[in-house]
CSV table of all heavy atoms in Angstrom, one decimal:
chain,number,residue,atom,x,y,z
E,127,THR,N,13.9,16.0,-2.0
E,127,THR,CA,13.5,14.7,-1.5
E,127,THR,C,14.3,13.6,-2.0
E,127,THR,O,14.3,12.5,-1.4
E,127,THR,CB,12.0,14.5,-1.7
E,127,THR,OG1,11.7,14.4,-3.1
E,127,THR,CG2,11.2,15.6,-1.1
E,128,THR,N,14.8,13.7,-3.2
E,128,THR,CA,15.5,12.6,-3.9
E,128,THR,C,17.0,12.7,-4.1
E,128,THR,O,17.7,11.7,-4.3
E,128,THR,CB,14.9,12.4,-5.3
E,128,THR,OG1,15.2,13.6,-6.1
E,128,THR,CG2,13.4,12.2,-5.3
E,129,GLY,N,17.5,14.0,-3.9
E,129,GLY,CA,19.0,14.2,-4.2
E,129,GLY,C,19.3,14.1,-5.7
E,129,GLY,O,20.4,14.0,-6.1
E,130,MET,N,18.3,14.2,-6.5
E,130,MET,CA,18.4,14.2,-8.0
E,130,MET,C,18.0,15.5,-8.6
E,130,MET,O,17.2,16.2,-8.0
E,130,MET,CB,17.6,13.0,-8.6
E,130,MET,CG,17.9,11.6,-8.0
E,130,MET,SD,16.6,10.4,-8.4
E,130,MET,CE,16.8,10.2,-10.2
E,131,THR,N,18.5,15.8,-9.8
E,131,THR,CA,18.0,17.0,-10.4
E,131,THR,C,16.7,16.8,-11.0
E,131,THR,O,16.2,15.6,-11.2
E,131,THR,CB,19.0,17.4,-11.6
E,131,THR,OG1,19.0,16.4,-12.6
E,131,THR,CG2,20.4,17.6,-11.0
E,132,GLU,N,16.0,17.8,-11.4
E,132,GLU,CA,14.7,17.7,-12.1
E,132,GLU,C,14.8,16.8,-13.3
E,132,GLU,O,13.9,16.0,-13.6
E,132,GLU,CB,14.1,19.1,-12.4
E,132,GLU,CG,13.6,19.8,-11.1
E,132,GLU,CD,12.9,21.1,-11.5
E,132,GLU,OE1,12.8,21.4,-12.7
E,132,GLU,OE2,12.4,21.8,-10.6
E,133,SER,N,15.8,17.0,-14.1
E,133,SER,CA,16.0,16.3,-15.3
E,133,SER,C,16.2,14.8,-15.0
E,133,SER,O,15.6,13.9,-15.7
E,133,SER,CB,17.2,16.8,-16.1
E,133,SER,OG,17.0,18.1,-16.5
E,134,GLU,N,17.0,14.5,-14.0
E,134,GLU,CA,17.2,13.1,-13.6
E,134,GLU,C,15.9,12.4,-13.1
E,134,GLU,O,15.7,11.3,-13.4
E,134,GLU,CB,18.3,13.1,-12.5
E,134,GLU,CG,19.7,13.4,-13.1
E,134,GLU,CD,20.7,13.6,-12.0
E,134,GLU,OE1,20.3,13.8,-10.8
E,134,GLU,OE2,21.9,13.6,-12.3
E,135,ILE,N,15.1,13.2,-12.4
E,135,ILE,CA,13.9,12.7,-11.9
E,135,ILE,C,12.9,12.3,-13.1
E,135,ILE,O,12.3,11.3,-13.1
E,135,ILE,CB,13.2,13.7,-11.0
E,135,ILE,CG1,14.0,13.8,-9.7
E,135,ILE,CG2,11.7,13.2,-10.7
E,135,ILE,CD1,13.5,15.0,-8.8
E,136,ALA,N,12.9,13.2,-14.1
E,136,ALA,CA,12.1,12.9,-15.2
E,136,ALA,C,12.5,11.7,-16.0
E,136,ALA,O,11.7,11.0,-16.6
E,136,ALA,CB,12.1,14.2,-16.1
E,137,ILE,N,13.8,11.5,-16.1
E,137,ILE,CA,14.3,10.3,-16.9
E,137,ILE,C,14.4,9.0,-16.1
E,137,ILE,O,14.2,8.0,-16.6
E,137,ILE,CB,15.7,10.7,-17.4
E,137,ILE,CG1,15.6,11.9,-18.3
E,137,ILE,CG2,16.3,9.5,-18.2
E,137,ILE,CD1,16.9,12.5,-18.8
E,138,HIS,N,14.8,9.2,-14.8
E,138,HIS,CA,15.0,8.0,-13.9
E,138,HIS,C,13.9,8.0,-12.8
E,138,HIS,O,14.2,8.0,-11.6
E,138,HIS,CB,16.4,7.9,-13.3
E,138,HIS,CG,17.4,7.6,-14.4
E,138,HIS,ND1,18.8,7.8,-14.1
E,138,HIS,CD2,17.3,7.1,-15.6
E,138,HIS,CE1,19.5,7.4,-15.2
E,138,HIS,NE2,18.6,7.0,-16.1
E,139,THR,N,12.7,8.1,-13.2
E,139,THR,CA,11.6,8.3,-12.3
E,139,THR,C,11.5,7.2,-11.3
E,139,THR,O,11.2,7.3,-10.1
E,139,THR,CB,10.3,8.5,-13.0
E,139,THR,OG1,10.4,9.5,-14.0
E,139,THR,CG2,9.1,8.9,-12.1
E,140,ARG,N,11.6,5.9,-11.8
E,140,ARG,CA,11.5,4.8,-10.9
E,140,ARG,C,12.5,4.9,-9.7
E,140,ARG,O,12.2,4.6,-8.6
E,140,ARG,CB,11.8,3.5,-11.7
E,140,ARG,CG,10.6,3.1,-12.5
E,140,ARG,CD,10.8,1.7,-13.2
E,140,ARG,NE,9.6,1.2,-13.8
E,140,ARG,CZ,9.6,0.1,-14.5
E,140,ARG,NH1,10.7,-0.7,-14.7
E,140,ARG,NH2,8.4,-0.4,-15.0
E,141,MET,N,13.8,5.3,-10.0
E,141,MET,CA,14.8,5.4,-9.0
E,141,MET,C,14.4,6.5,-8.0
E,141,MET,O,14.6,6.3,-6.8
E,141,MET,CB,16.1,5.6,-9.6
E,141,MET,CG,16.7,4.5,-10.4
E,141,MET,SD,15.9,4.2,-12.0
E,141,MET,CE,17.3,4.6,-13.1
E,142,ALA,N,13.8,7.6,-8.5
E,142,ALA,CA,13.4,8.6,-7.6
E,142,ALA,C,12.3,8.1,-6.6
E,142,ALA,O,12.4,8.5,-5.4
E,142,ALA,CB,12.9,9.8,-8.4
E,143,ALA,N,11.4,7.4,-7.2
E,143,ALA,CA,10.3,6.9,-6.3
E,143,ALA,C,10.8,5.9,-5.3
E,143,ALA,O,10.3,5.9,-4.1
E,143,ALA,CB,9.3,6.2,-7.2
E,144,SER,N,11.8,5.1,-5.6
E,144,SER,CA,12.4,4.2,-4.7
E,144,SER,C,13.1,4.9,-3.6
E,144,SER,O,13.0,4.5,-2.4
E,144,SER,CB,13.4,3.3,-5.4
E,144,SER,OG,12.7,2.3,-6.2
E,145,LYS,N,13.7,6.0,-3.9
E,145,LYS,CA,14.5,6.8,-2.9
E,145,LYS,C,13.6,7.4,-1.8
E,145,LYS,O,14.0,7.5,-0.6
E,145,LYS,CB,15.2,8.0,-3.6
E,145,LYS,CG,16.5,7.6,-4.3
E,145,LYS,CD,17.1,8.8,-5.0
E,145,LYS,CE,18.4,8.4,-5.7
E,145,LYS,NZ,19.5,8.3,-4.7
E,146,VAL,N,12.3,7.7,-2.1
E,146,VAL,CA,11.4,8.3,-1.1
E,146,VAL,C,10.6,7.3,-0.4
E,146,VAL,O,9.8,7.6,0.5
E,146,VAL,CB,10.5,9.4,-1.7
E,146,VAL,CG1,11.4,10.5,-2.4
E,146,VAL,CG2,9.6,8.8,-2.8
E,147,GLY,N,10.7,6.0,-0.7
E,147,GLY,CA,10.0,4.9,0.0
E,147,GLY,C,8.6,4.8,-0.4
E,147,GLY,O,7.7,4.5,0.5
E,148,ALA,N,8.2,4.9,-1.7
E,148,ALA,CA,6.9,4.7,-2.2
E,148,ALA,C,6.4,3.2,-2.0
E,148,ALA,O,7.2,2.3,-1.8
E,148,ALA,CB,6.8,5.1,-3.6
E,149,THR,N,5.1,3.0,-2.0
E,149,THR,CA,4.5,1.7,-1.9
E,149,THR,C,4.6,0.9,-3.2
E,149,THR,O,4.1,1.4,-4.3
E,149,THR,CB,3.1,1.8,-1.5
E,149,THR,OG1,3.0,2.4,-0.2
E,149,THR,CG2,2.5,0.4,-1.3
E,150,THR,N,5.2,-0.2,-3.2
E,150,THR,CA,5.2,-1.1,-4.4
E,150,THR,C,3.9,-1.7,-4.6
E,150,THR,O,3.2,-2.1,-3.7
E,150,THR,CB,6.3,-2.2,-4.2
E,150,THR,OG1,5.9,-3.0,-3.0
E,150,THR,CG2,7.7,-1.7,-4.1
E,151,MET,N,3.4,-1.6,-5.8
E,151,MET,CA,2.0,-2.0,-6.2
E,151,MET,C,1.9,-3.2,-7.1
E,151,MET,O,2.9,-3.6,-7.7
E,151,MET,CB,1.3,-0.8,-6.9
E,151,MET,CG,1.4,0.5,-6.1
E,151,MET,SD,0.5,0.5,-4.5
E,151,MET,CE,-1.2,0.6,-5.1
E,152,ASP,N,0.7,-3.8,-7.1
E,152,ASP,CA,0.5,-5.0,-7.9
E,152,ASP,C,0.1,-4.6,-9.4
E,152,ASP,O,-1.0,-4.7,-9.8
E,152,ASP,CB,-0.6,-5.8,-7.3
E,152,ASP,CG,-0.2,-6.6,-6.1
E,152,ASP,OD1,1.0,-6.7,-5.8
E,152,ASP,OD2,-1.1,-7.1,-5.4
E,153,ARG,N,1.1,-4.1,-10.1
E,153,ARG,CA,1.0,-3.7,-11.5
E,153,ARG,C,-0.1,-2.6,-11.7
E,153,ARG,O,-1.2,-3.0,-12.1
E,153,ARG,CB,0.7,-4.9,-12.4
E,153,ARG,CG,2.0,-5.8,-12.6
E,153,ARG,CD,1.7,-6.9,-13.6
E,153,ARG,NE,1.3,-6.3,-14.9
E,153,ARG,CZ,0.7,-7.0,-15.8
E,153,ARG,NH1,0.4,-8.3,-15.7
E,153,ARG,NH2,0.4,-6.4,-17.0
E,154,PRO,N,0.1,-1.4,-11.3
E,154,PRO,CA,-0.9,-0.4,-11.5
E,154,PRO,C,-1.3,-0.2,-13.0
E,154,PRO,O,-0.4,0.2,-13.8
E,154,PRO,CB,-0.3,0.9,-10.9
E,154,PRO,CG,0.9,0.4,-10.1
E,154,PRO,CD,1.3,-0.8,-10.8
E,155,GLU,N,-2.5,-0.5,-13.4
E,155,GLU,CA,-2.9,-0.3,-14.7
E,155,GLU,C,-3.7,1.0,-14.9
E,155,GLU,O,-3.3,2.0,-14.4
E,155,GLU,CB,-3.8,-1.5,-15.1
E,155,GLU,CG,-3.0,-2.8,-15.1
E,155,GLU,CD,-2.5,-3.3,-16.4
E,155,GLU,OE1,-2.4,-2.5,-17.3
E,155,GLU,OE2,-2.1,-4.5,-16.5
E,156,TRP,N,-4.9,1.0,-15.5
E,156,TRP,CA,-5.7,2.2,-15.7
E,156,TRP,C,-6.1,2.8,-14.4
E,156,TRP,O,-6.5,2.1,-13.5
E,156,TRP,CB,-6.9,1.9,-16.6
E,156,TRP,CG,-6.6,1.6,-18.0
E,156,TRP,CD1,-5.9,0.5,-18.5
E,156,TRP,CD2,-7.0,2.3,-19.2
E,156,TRP,NE1,-5.9,0.5,-19.9
E,156,TRP,CE2,-6.5,1.6,-20.3
E,156,TRP,CE3,-7.7,3.5,-19.3
E,156,TRP,CZ2,-6.7,2.1,-21.6
E,156,TRP,CZ3,-7.8,4.0,-20.6
E,156,TRP,CH2,-7.4,3.3,-21.7
E,157,VAL,N,-6.1,4.1,-14.4
E,157,VAL,CA,-6.7,4.9,-13.3
E,157,VAL,C,-7.9,5.7,-13.9
E,157,VAL,O,-7.9,6.1,-15.0
E,157,VAL,CB,-5.6,6.0,-12.8
E,157,VAL,CG1,-6.2,6.7,-11.6
E,157,VAL,CG2,-4.3,5.3,-12.4
E,158,ALA,N,-9.0,5.7,-13.1
E,158,ALA,CA,-10.2,6.4,-13.5
E,158,ALA,C,-10.7,7.3,-12.4
E,158,ALA,O,-10.8,6.9,-11.2
E,158,ALA,CB,-11.3,5.4,-13.9
E,159,ALA,N,-10.9,8.6,-12.7
E,159,ALA,CA,-11.4,9.5,-11.7
E,159,ALA,C,-12.9,9.7,-11.8
E,159,ALA,O,-13.5,9.8,-12.9
E,159,ALA,CB,-10.8,10.9,-11.9
E,160,HIS,N,-13.6,9.6,-10.7
E,160,HIS,CA,-15.1,9.8,-10.7
E,160,HIS,C,-15.5,11.1,-11.3
E,160,HIS,O,-14.9,12.1,-10.9
E,160,HIS,CB,-15.6,9.6,-9.3
E,160,HIS,CG,-17.1,9.3,-9.2
E,160,HIS,ND1,-18.1,10.2,-9.5
E,160,HIS,CD2,-17.7,8.1,-8.8
E,160,HIS,CE1,-19.2,9.6,-9.3
E,160,HIS,NE2,-19.1,8.4,-8.9
E,161,PRO,N,-16.5,11.2,-12.1
E,161,PRO,CA,-16.8,12.5,-12.8
E,161,PRO,C,-17.6,13.4,-11.9
E,161,PRO,O,-17.7,14.6,-12.2
E,161,PRO,CB,-17.7,12.0,-14.0
E,161,PRO,CG,-18.3,10.7,-13.5
E,161,PRO,CD,-17.2,10.1,-12.7
E,162,HIS,N,-18.2,12.9,-10.7
E,162,HIS,CA,-19.0,13.7,-9.9
E,162,HIS,C,-18.5,14.0,-8.5
E,162,HIS,O,-19.2,14.7,-7.8
E,162,HIS,CB,-20.4,13.1,-9.9
E,162,HIS,CG,-21.0,12.8,-11.2
E,162,HIS,ND1,-21.1,13.8,-12.2
E,162,HIS,CD2,-21.6,11.7,-11.7
E,162,HIS,CE1,-21.7,13.2,-13.3
E,162,HIS,NE2,-21.9,12.0,-13.0
E,163,LYS,N,-17.4,13.4,-8.2
E,163,LYS,CA,-16.8,13.7,-6.8
E,163,LYS,C,-15.3,13.3,-6.8
E,163,LYS,O,-14.9,12.6,-7.7
E,163,LYS,CB,-17.6,12.9,-5.8
E,163,LYS,CG,-17.6,11.4,-6.0
E,163,LYS,CD,-18.4,10.7,-4.9
E,163,LYS,CE,-18.6,9.2,-5.2
E,163,LYS,NZ,-19.4,8.6,-4.1
E,164,ALA,N,-14.6,13.8,-5.8
E,164,ALA,CA,-13.2,13.5,-5.7
E,164,ALA,C,-13.0,12.1,-5.2
E,164,ALA,O,-12.8,11.9,-4.0
E,164,ALA,CB,-12.5,14.6,-4.8
E,165,GLU,N,-12.9,11.2,-6.2
E,165,GLU,CA,-12.7,9.8,-5.8
E,165,GLU,C,-12.0,9.1,-7.1
E,165,GLU,O,-12.5,9.3,-8.2
E,165,GLU,CB,-14.1,9.1,-5.6
E,165,GLU,CG,-14.1,7.8,-5.0
E,165,GLU,CD,-15.5,7.3,-4.6
E,165,GLU,OE1,-15.9,7.7,-3.5
E,165,GLU,OE2,-16.1,6.6,-5.4
E,166,VAL,N,-11.0,8.4,-6.8
E,166,VAL,CA,-10.2,7.8,-7.9
E,166,VAL,C,-10.0,6.3,-7.7
E,166,VAL,O,-9.8,5.9,-6.6
E,166,VAL,CB,-8.8,8.5,-8.0
E,166,VAL,CG1,-8.1,8.2,-9.3
E,166,VAL,CG2,-9.0,10.0,-7.8
E,167,TYR,N,-10.0,5.6,-8.8
E,167,TYR,CA,-9.8,4.2,-8.8
E,167,TYR,C,-8.6,3.7,-9.7
E,167,TYR,O,-8.4,4.4,-10.7
E,167,TYR,CB,-11.1,3.5,-9.4
E,167,TYR,CG,-12.3,3.7,-8.5
E,167,TYR,CD1,-12.9,5.0,-8.4
E,167,TYR,CD2,-12.9,2.6,-7.9
E,167,TYR,CE1,-14.0,5.2,-7.6
E,167,TYR,CE2,-14.1,2.8,-7.1
E,167,TYR,CZ,-14.6,4.1,-7.0
E,167,TYR,OH,-15.8,4.3,-6.2
E,168,CYS,N,-8.0,2.7,-9.3
E,168,CYS,CA,-6.9,2.1,-10.1
E,168,CYS,C,-6.9,0.6,-10.1
E,168,CYS,O,-7.1,0.0,-9.0
E,168,CYS,CB,-5.5,2.6,-9.5
E,168,CYS,SG,-4.1,1.9,-10.4
E,169,ALA,N,-6.8,0.0,-11.3
E,169,ALA,CA,-6.8,-1.4,-11.4
E,169,ALA,C,-5.4,-1.9,-11.1
E,169,ALA,O,-4.4,-1.5,-11.8
E,169,ALA,CB,-7.2,-1.8,-12.8
E,170,LEU,N,-5.3,-2.8,-10.1
E,170,LEU,CA,-4.0,-3.5,-9.8
E,170,LEU,C,-4.2,-4.9,-10.4
E,170,LEU,O,-4.8,-5.7,-9.7
E,170,LEU,CB,-3.7,-3.4,-8.3
E,170,LEU,CG,-3.7,-2.0,-7.7
E,170,LEU,CD1,-3.6,-2.1,-6.2
E,170,LEU,CD2,-2.6,-1.2,-8.3
E,171,THR,N,-3.7,-5.1,-11.6
E,171,THR,CA,-4.2,-6.2,-12.4
E,171,THR,C,-3.8,-7.6,-11.8
E,171,THR,O,-4.6,-8.5,-11.8
E,171,THR,CB,-3.7,-6.1,-13.8
E,171,THR,OG1,-4.4,-7.0,-14.6
E,171,THR,CG2,-2.2,-6.3,-14.0
E,172,ASN,N,-2.6,-7.8,-11.3
E,172,ASN,CA,-2.1,-9.0,-10.7
E,172,ASN,C,-0.6,-8.9,-10.3
E,172,ASN,O,0.0,-7.9,-10.8
E,172,ASN,CB,-2.3,-10.3,-11.6
E,172,ASN,CG,-1.6,-10.2,-12.9
E,172,ASN,OD1,-0.4,-9.9,-13.0
E,172,ASN,ND2,-2.4,-10.3,-14.0
E,173,ASN,N,-0.1,-9.8,-9.6
E,173,ASN,CA,1.3,-9.8,-9.2
E,173,ASN,C,1.7,-11.1,-8.6
E,173,ASN,O,1.6,-11.3,-7.4
E,173,ASN,CB,1.6,-8.6,-8.3
E,173,ASN,CG,3.1,-8.5,-8.0
E,173,ASN,OD1,3.9,-9.3,-8.5
E,173,ASN,ND2,3.5,-7.5,-7.2
């Protein structure tokens, strides 16, 4: 998907994410997964 080796993806992860067209976010901070169901939250602190 990226045209990069696994090592390059691990080291230059931001570039790999840009290559596949990921969504730019408002500073993703802590992520928290609900303990009782499959539901996940992420704080987007500001931008």
Side-chain angles (χ1 to χ4, degrees):
T127 62
T128 65
M130 302 165 65
T131 67
E132 289 186 356
S133 296
E134 290 170 344
I135 293 169
I137 299 170
H138 290 164
T139 310
R140 283 183 170 179
M141 289 75 112
S144 291
K145 283 178 177 286
V146 301
T149 300
T150 57
M151 306 295 285
D152 287 347
R153 290 186 57 195
E155 299 263 15
W156 288 68
V157 182
H160 199 292
H162 305 310
K163 56 183 174 179
E165 191 171 280
V166 193
Y167 295 67
C168 179
L170 305 174
T171 193
N172 57 56
N173 184 1

